[in-house]
Amino acid sequence: MEKITAFVTEIGPVYAALLATIFTWLVTAAGASLVFFFKKMHRGLLDAMLGFTGGVMVAASFWSLLNPSIEMSERMFPSAPWFPAAVGFLAGGFFIFALDKYLPHLHINFTDEETEGVQTQWRRSTLLILAITLHNIPEGLAVGVLFGAAAQGMPDATIAGAITLAIGIGIQNFPEGFAVAMPLRRHGVSRFKSFWYGQLSAIVEPIAGVLGAVAVIYMQPVLPFALAFAAGAMIYVVVEEVIPETQRDKYTDLAVMGFMGGFTVMMILDVALG
């Protein structure tokens, strides 16, 4: 970890955020590539993988984002240390709420009649991809913001912590890529197109990561707000999208165990490495 930290320090936070989110994107592609080897996926496995994704996101939201935000606020805003974390957290949720209301999309386990956002005649496959793209925005943003915060020398936001977050997001992106590609394949999309669209859903992560890193580097006072913003966005996605998708069949227990497994993995990573 020390060599990786030294390398990240040398190349700078923006480039590091770009590389880290390219890594998470490639892991998504690796998960999507499983569509070349399997014809279908058991619904219980899909629910467990989605639950795992949710667990990682919730754990990362607290240990990697909200907790550093609160600790920074105690020094930067001693009269109201709760204010930046609370405002940023709510703002992140409202940001995804607005995108959710206007961006046409369809969650993985939902029917065509449950399309969200503005009405459109776009294909089901396009709507599925947009749903996961919406999901990936806060993930990339979280990684970029944490790298930018670490670059400011804040003791509560470290490069090791940013790397740990990227690893955690990458781990949960693998089953996520598979969970996107397989439903597309099930709905008649070719194997290659299912893979292509599955990995394409995560291309927004490098974009969001770079934007997040640049924003906090040049606007240091917003650091605790930005960290909490990313946490709020991720929590909104988990509660509004990920968890409901896992509760629509008879495999809810598997989804809960997957959630607990993902939460535990991210907690261990953050405590051990971050």
Side-chain angles (χ1 to χ4, degrees), residues 114-263:
E114 295 175 286
T115 299
E116 298 181 5
V118 299
Q119 295 299 313
T120 178
Q121 298 300 316
W122 293 348
R123 292 183 176 182
R124 179 183 177 89
S125 59
T126 302
L127 296 173
L128 286 169
I129 295 162
L130 287 176
I132 301 300
T133 299
L134 179 65
H135 178 159
N136 285 327
I137 291 174
E139 295 177 5
L141 184 65
V143 174
V145 166
L146 200 55
F147 271 107
Q152 303 302 313
M154 294 288 183
D156 306 305
T158 64
I159 292 175
I163 294 171
T164 300
L165 177 60
I167 293 172
I169 295 297
I171 290 174
Q172 64 96 28
N173 273 5
F174 184 85
E176 183 178 282
F178 188 42
V180 177
M182 286 306 297
L184 293 176
R185 176 62 179 160
R186 190 172 63 243
H187 287 92
V189 181
S190 70
R191 291 183 186 274
F192 178 78
K193 285 187 176 180
S194 297
F195 161 75
W196 178 255
Y197 292 140
Q199 62 82 31
L200 193 63
S201 66
I203 198 172
V204 70
E205 290 192 9
I207 299 171
V210 169
L211 290 176
V214 170
V216 298
I217 287 173
Y218 292 101
M219 294 181 287
Q220 185 171 340
V222 308
L223 274 175
F225 293 93
L227 288 169
F229 181 95
M234 290 178 70
I235 292 296
Y236 186 95
V237 167
V238 172
V239 176
E240 194 276 336
E241 175 186 338
V242 178
I243 292 177
E245 289 180 10
T246 68
Q247 303 298 303
R248 298 170 65 86
D249 210 309
K250 60 183 179 180
Y251 302 104
T252 56
D253 290 345
L254 290 177
V256 173
M257 295 306 297
F259 181 96
M260 295 182 69
F263 189 97

Side-chain angles (χ1 to χ4, degrees), residues 1 7-8 33 35 38 48 56 71 90 102 122 124 129 151 170 172 180 189 215 270-271 274:
M1 179 63 76
F7 173 73
V8 170
S33 70
V35 76
F38 298 95
V56 170
E71 292 180 353
L90 292 174
Y102 292 102
W122 293 348
R124 179 183 177 89
I129 295 162
Q172 64 96 28
V180 177
V189 181
D270 203 276
V271 174

Side-chain angles (χ1 to χ4, degrees), residues 6-164:
F7 173 73
V8 170
T9 302
E10 181 180 346
I11 64 176
V14 175
Y15 190 40
L18 176 62
L19 291 180
T21 47
I22 286 176
F23 161 74
T24 62
W25 172 28
L26 292 177
V27 176
T28 305
S33 70
L34 294 179
V35 76
F36 292 112
F37 307 101
F38 298 95
K39 293 182 178 180
K40 59 182 180 179
M41 176 171 54
H42 190 273
R43 176 60 184 269
L45 177 59
L46 173 62
D47 286 345
M49 291 194 300
L50 289 173
F52 182 90
T53 293
V56 170
M57 293 176 71
V58 170
S61 295
F62 176 73
W63 271 284
S64 298
L65 299 169
L66 267 181
N67 193 47
S69 171
I70 293 170
E71 292 180 353
M72 286 181 193
S73 299
E74 291 175 349
R75 289 189 299 273
M76 298 174 67
F77 303 91
S79 59
W82 51 267
F83 182 75
V87 171
F89 185 80
L90 292 174
F94 278 116
F95 171 71
I96 300 298
F97 169 80
L99 290 179
D100 190 64
K101 291 302 177 184
Y102 292 102
L103 180 68
H105 62 284
L106 177 65
H107 299 316
I108 291 174
N109 289 327
F110 285 39
T111 63
D112 292 343
E113 290 73 24
E114 295 175 286
T115 299
E116 298 181 5
V118 299
Q119 295 299 313
T120 178
Q121 298 300 316
W122 293 348
R123 292 183 176 182
R124 179 183 177 89
S125 59
T126 302
L127 296 173
L128 286 169
I129 295 162
L130 287 176
I132 301 300
T133 299
L134 179 65
H135 178 159
N136 285 327
I137 291 174
E139 295 177 5
L141 184 65
V143 174
V145 166
L146 200 55
F147 271 107
Q152 303 302 313
M154 294 288 183
D156 306 305
T158 64
I159 292 175
I163 294 171
T164 300

